Amino acid sequence: MVPYLHILLTLCNMSKQTRYVTTPIYYVNDRPHIGHVYTTTLCDVYARAMRDLGHDVFFLTGTDEHGVKVEQSAIDKGMSPQELADQNSAEFKSIMGMFDLTNDAFIRTTDLEHTRQVQVFVTKLLERGDVYLGTFEGWYDEGQEEYHTETSARDLEYKSPISGKPLVRATEKNYYFKLSAYQERLEQLFKTNPDFVQPSSRRNEVLGRLREGLQDVPISRTNFSWGIPMPGDEEHVIYVWIDALFNYITALGLGDPTSDWYKERSNYWPASYHVIGKEILWFHSVIWPAVLMALEYPLPSCVYAHSFWISEGRKMSKSLGNFIDLETIETYVAEYGMDAWRYYLTTQGPLGATDADFANEKFKEIYNAHLVNTVGNSTSRVTAMIVKYYDGVVPTESDGDTRLEIAEFDWPAKCKEAVTQWETAMESFSIAKAIEQGMQLIRDVDLFINDTAPFKLAKDDTKQAELGAILYQCLETLRIATLLLSPVLPMKMKEFHVAIGTSLCSENLIEVADWGLLKPGTTVTKVALFPRV
Ligand code: MSP
């Protein structure tokens, strides 16, 4: 018996598909804010949904710890760069627990496993001639740690597009990556794989810039020391962006096949989604694929570049007092709850091509309309009626052998369709659209209750079978709808499932969301999930 079971389990695991989702790794010279929490929460919802669908998921986040900015901040604070990195990386790591984020690993670019592998990869690039020593003359954005050629600096009016500070003139001997050699292959990539960059408007931006022609990019610096030494030339440290991009494969141990990371994680490459903000798209959609091409690794399936949060109608800024930092986030979580915070971020956020406004009034409005009046109201109304009319015991849907079909609501078909749409939307990272599938089912339950008026039927002895069927259908639909909402509202949906005596799915959502799995006779208690604020 036991050996067969083992074979069966192995077969099940073999049939599992992998999903690898990553956030950018965050700079440790900044403190966590809504931008970081947003990207990580999107990835978390995706990762939870993929686990629910039975996929083998690896969700990676972490911190980007080298570079001149960290070195400078550390000097200003009278600390060593490592001490500053340890302190701030720990703060980023702590938000994973605080926001219920289910990352499978947290990489730091100062991890020895990472630095060693980066040197292995750069050595390979040197050996292949994809990295060479040359002289750079151009412009440098110190805040973004980004180089600009004369043409692109002119377009930017010699100012950083992010901080507005002047670009500085830079002439230095550097190691270069031969990006220009990958022009044709990159153009081909964008042509044959139109979904490589999402949303499509972002793809067009990259294509436009790509067509202007690629120049080789410097990948080493000599004017500071807080970085990974260039193999064979310790006067240079590896440019922080090259160091950082490698995290996506060093975390899987690809540069060290003898490592535990390799044994446990290498099967996750290539990534399903690199989720990033729009400001770092060029690195991810052009430089990173070219480096992977040079190393002959398969490319990620998609780079998803979301837009930015602004706040109360204006760009977030500390001096304007509209900055959504960790302390501000905590006040929202304390007032509305963690699930409500996650819901607002993922349904109202800038996943598309335009920036989104974080506004206190809008938060309250969405909370009341979507969570209190829709999810909260429907779940409480249905459980309350079952408690009142059936002493909390789930009635049966059928009258003898015949299933009662009421009005035009074909619930099994409606639910099946919602589950299918949800799966498609989640797989394509359309997070808000996926969540909407669960919300729409709940709104339909409300309409159904208004149409069929079970509270009136309850007063008529001849209508008891009909009443039972209606309430069964309502609760069963809510059970399925809340499965679809659980990646975004994990705590509240769990509370609901405990109250209705079922369990949230762990690995087989499609089966668990099948119509009719709610057993008549199950005991239900009344719920109040979202208190009015
Ligand atoms: N360290 C680099 C990324 C290297 S990845 C190989 C970096 N770090 S960062 O700390 O500046 O974080 C940038 C990310 O934070 C953005 O890509 C985005 O995910 C998030 N956001 C920062 N500000 C944001 C908003 N105002 N709105 C939404 N997200 C933004 O760049």
Side-chain angles (χ1 to χ4, degrees), residues 24-27 33 35-36 38-39 64 241 244-245 247-248 276-277 279-280 284 306-309 316:
I25 47 172
Y26 303 118
Y27 283 135
H33 57 68
H36 308 119
Y38 175 60
T39 317
D64 189 354
W241 261 103
L245 286 166
N247 93 87
Y248 300 129
I276 57 166
E279 85 287 18
I280 55 176
H284 282 83
H306 61 71
S307 303
F308 266 30
W309 281 103
M316 282 203 305

Side-chain angles (χ1 to χ4, degrees), residues 52 57 61 98 105 132 161 254 256 266 274 276 292 302 309 437 449 452 472 503 516 519 532:
D52 285 349
V57 174
T61 187
M98 269 171 65
Y132 64 91
L254 296 199
D256 180 6
S266 57
H274 285 319
I276 57 166
L292 289 168
C302 177
W309 281 103
Q437 300 307 316
I449 295 175
T452 55
Y472 179 91
S503 62
K519 294 278 159 280
R532 189 168 297 280

Side-chain angles (χ1 to χ4, degrees), residues 371-435:
L371 297 179
V372 180
N373 296 343
T374 307
V375 184
N377 183 50
S378 195
T379 49
S380 120
R381 220 173 161 194
V382 172
T383 51
M385 284 193 280
I386 293 178
V387 167
K388 188 165 172 196
Y389 306 138
Y390 292 93
D391 284 333
V393 177
V394 176
T396 161
E397 186 190 8
S398 56
D399 177 15
D401 286 340
T402 355
R403 208 183 124 250
L404 274 173
E405 298 253 356
I406 295 132
E408 74 279 22
F409 290 88
D410 181 354
W411 287 113
K414 248 185 201 304
C415 290
K416 202 174 170 57
E417 178 60 18
V419 173
T420 308
Q421 297 281 347
W422 176 90
E423 182 180 11
T424 310
M426 279 295 184
E427 288 279 9
S428 57
F429 215 82
S430 304
I431 307 286
K433 193 169 165 199
I435 295 169

